[in-house]
Amino acid sequence: MLQPFKRYVEIGRVAFVTYGKEYGRLVVIVDVIDQNRALVDSPEMVRGQINFKRLSLTDIKIDIPRVPKKKTLIDAMETADVKNKWENSSWGRKLIVQKRRASLNDFDRFKVMLAKIKRGGAIRQELAKLKKADVA
Amino acid sequence: MKTILSSQTMDIPEGVTVKVNAKIVEVEGPRGKLTRDFKHLNLDFELIEGGKKLKVDAWFGSRKTTAAIRTSISHVQNLITGVTKGYRYKMRLVYAHFPINASITNSNACIEIRNFLGEKKVRKVDMLEGVQIFRSEKVKDELVLDGNDVELVSRSAALINQKCHVKNKDIRKFLDGIYVSEKGTVNEEA
């Protein structure tokens, strides 16, 4: 079966906001307004409309009726375990690392530099050992 | 406005195998094999139901892309009839005074036209690949072009027609020429 698209815009699709005031938030599509906009909701925000161009769809989908009450939405997100699935996915993990790197202070960056040098040194030592064994 | 998804499905009859890979469609049937390349289109071609149907999708298409869905299906249908029934175009030699002398040479692949409007010039037309031409037996002044690919057969007929245009005369009066009289198939059953 030809599958040009794997993630569809549907009620219950979890999406990541990539532009605007809610940048970085995970939201759930609760209704589709028209061809360009969706009604979007999340446990910590007021339900509102957003353009699809400001969203990136994720693999996660939850089971909700159209425009659920806040309580139903929160319960559905708990049963589907969205938070853990997101934090364990490669996309979610990358975001956590990016956030940590952006929040480093100068001393932390110094410590990172030392750690990188130490790691590079250990790799080069192992490589030299392997090269010597190969030549022999 | 972009239409999210527009698609169309067509049935593939028995006795014909269709293969589609990377927008190149290959149709094989009793009369032979035909290929057509749709790489200039932004469509998804897919065989469903184990080769019995062909589905064509256009995602987020403008009006023109959506229009291209049905034309690509028509092109594939032409390939299928070409490979099962074949195409037969009949042309008549029309003249008022000077009989058009048409001789078929080169094992039914080339036609030479003499004495068109009394001119000394000999017109030679090579048929395109896979197209056979012969003079019809029972009908006077008729040419028959046979082939599998409708594009090649009709283009060969057009080449013959264009070689016999009348120049510098009132074409409403000088009606000589070789005209396509019938567009049909080789096998009439089914």
Side-chain angles (χ1 to χ4, degrees), chain B residues 53 61 88 97 142 145 151 165 188:
Chain B
K53 289 201 184 180
R88 175 166 281 168
H97 179 267
E142 191 178 54
L145 282 85
E151 309 259 331
H165 280 178
E188 270 80 51

Side-chain angles (χ1 to χ4, degrees), chain B:
Chain B
M1 147 166 166
K2 304 262 184 200
T3 307
I4 302 177
L5 170 64
S6 33
S7 70
Q8 201 176 338
T9 318
M10 71 172 261
D11 287 317
I12 298 173
E14 300 278 333
V16 177
T17 44
V18 173
K19 276 198 208 89
V20 61
N21 184 24
K23 296 193 266 191
I24 301 183
V25 180
E26 269 183 24
V27 179
E28 193 159 358
R31 284 180 63 96
K33 193 160 171 236
L34 286 176
T35 316
R36 192 150 176 160
D37 181 3
F38 291 108
K39 283 192 179 292
H40 52 90
L41 295 174
N42 260 344
L43 302 173
D44 290 335
F45 288 81
E46 189 184 349
L47 272 184
I48 56 174
E49 284 184 35
K52 297 238 175 41
K53 289 201 184 180
L54 177 73
K55 185 155 89 94
V56 182
D57 287 330
W59 293 91
F60 299 107
S62 60
R63 233 174 104 89
K64 283 205 193 147
T65 351
T66 311
I69 298 177
R70 196 180 160 143
T71 87
S72 66
I73 291 213
S74 299
H75 284 316
V76 175
Q77 267 164 353
N78 286 344
L79 293 178
I80 291 176
T81 67
V83 123
T84 53
K85 298 191 222 160
Y87 281 98
R88 175 166 281 168
Y89 274 40
K90 298 195 185 149
M91 305 181 79
R92 300 297 298 270
L93 311 176
V94 176
Y95 57 90
H97 179 267
F98 291 103
I100 300 177
N101 185 353
S103 61
I104 318 260
T105 58
N106 215 13
S107 68
N108 292 355
C110 177
I111 181 172
E112 278 187 3
I113 299 164
R114 280 169 235 269
N115 203 32
F116 177 69
L117 278 178
E119 295 173 5
K120 296 284 176 233
K121 176 178 162 75
V122 176
R123 292 149 220 267
K124 184 159 175 278
V125 185
D126 269 318
M127 292 297 108
L128 300 170
E129 216 186 280
V131 179
Q132 307 271 47
I133 183 170
F134 46 91
R135 288 197 82 140
S136 150
E137 308 85 32
K138 295 183 198 123
V139 183
K140 174 162 127 48
D141 292 334
E142 191 178 54
L143 301 171
V144 179
L145 282 85
D146 277 350
N148 280 352
D149 190 349
V150 65
E151 309 259 331
L152 297 179
V153 171
S154 53
R155 188 142 45 105
S156 304
L159 288 172
I160 299 174
N161 181 9
Q162 287 199 314
K163 269 285 205 259
C164 296
H165 280 178
V166 182
K167 309 271 179 225
N168 299 327
K169 302 277 182 299
D170 186 351
I171 56 171
R172 300 168 303 174
K173 184 72 190 170
F174 291 79
L175 298 169
D176 293 39
I178 305 182
Y179 299 97
V180 175
S181 61
E182 190 192 317
K183 299 181 182 180
T185 59
V186 179
N187 304 344
E188 270 80 51
E189 10 81 7

